[in-house]
Amino acid sequence: MMTIAALVCVVGSGACLGFLVADWAGAVVGAGATGLGAGFGMLVRPRPAVTSVQAARGDGYAEGIADVVLLSIATYEAAVFPLTSDGVSDEEQEARRTVAYRLSAYGGLPRSVRVSAAAALEALDDGADAERARAAVKELSLAVYECRNGRSLTGDASDSSG
C-alpha cells in the first residue's frame, strides 16, 4: 500500500510540474513520464522494498515491544528507587508500575522476555532490595538482547537450509 501511495504521489507531482510547464497536455505528459520512470525503477530494483516489508513482518514488532518493556520497567525502577527521597510522587510511581505491567502482559513477547520481566516486576514490587531489583532488570536487558540475537541466528539458519 505504501508503494502504491508513493507511486500516486510521484505521478501526481509529475502531473503538477507538467501542468506548470505546458498546461493540460504537459500534465498528461508529466504524469506519464513519471509513472513510467517509477515503474521502471520498481522493476529494476524491487529487492530493498521487499526485504524491508519482510523484515517488518518478522519478529521486529516483538523485539520492539521487548525494548519498550525494558524501558518501562527501567523507568519503574527509577520511580521505586529514586535518587532523592522526594524525587517521585506515589501517583507517578503507580502510573509507571501500571504501564510496566500492561506492556509486560503483551502476548507477543518472547517467553524469555516475559519471564524476565515478571521477575523484575516482582523484585521492584518488593521494593526492599535495590541490588536484587537491579540484577533482575539486568537479566531482563540480557533477555531482550538475546531476543534480538536469536532472531538473526534463526534467519541465518533458515537461509542455509533452504
Side-chain angles (χ1 to χ4, degrees):
M1 241 164 119
M2 293 287 286
T3 304
I4 292 170
L7 185 59
V8 167
C9 289
V10 166
V11 170
S13 63
C16 289
L17 184 62
F19 183 77
L20 289 174
V21 172
D23 209 18
W24 288 107
V28 171
V29 171
T34 56
L36 287 173
F40 179 73
M42 287 174 32
L43 287 175
V44 171
R45 186 129 187 191
R47 276 283 196 212
V50 171
T51 304
S52 65
V53 168
Q54 287 173 346
R57 286 186 181 159
D59 290 338
Y61 187 75
E63 289 175 4
I65 295 295
D67 286 336
V68 172
V69 166
L70 175 61
L71 178 65
S72 68
I73 290 177
T75 58
Y76 177 43
E77 177 189 17
V80 172
F81 302 109
L83 295 176
T84 61
S85 60
D86 59 347
V88 178
S89 68
D90 291 338
E91 293 83 21
E92 182 179 359
Q93 182 176 349
E94 187 60 31
R96 289 181 183 190
R97 180 181 187 273
T98 301
V99 169
Y101 268 91
R102 285 184 181 169
L103 289 171
S104 298
Y106 175 68
L109 282 173
R111 187 178 192 291
S112 62
V113 174
R114 275 188 286 157
V115 169
S116 296
L121 289 169
E122 179 184 358
L124 289 169
D125 284 343
D126 185 28
D129 188 6
E131 289 304 316
R132 177 177 164 237
R134 284 191 187 96
V137 173
K138 182 178 179 181
E139 287 297 317
L140 173 60
S141 68
L142 292 174
V144 170
Y145 180 75
E146 289 172 0
C147 171
R148 276 190 228 119
N149 285 341
R151 184 171 86 78
S152 65
L153 292 175
T154 302
D156 291 344
S158 65
D159 288 343
S160 64
S161 66

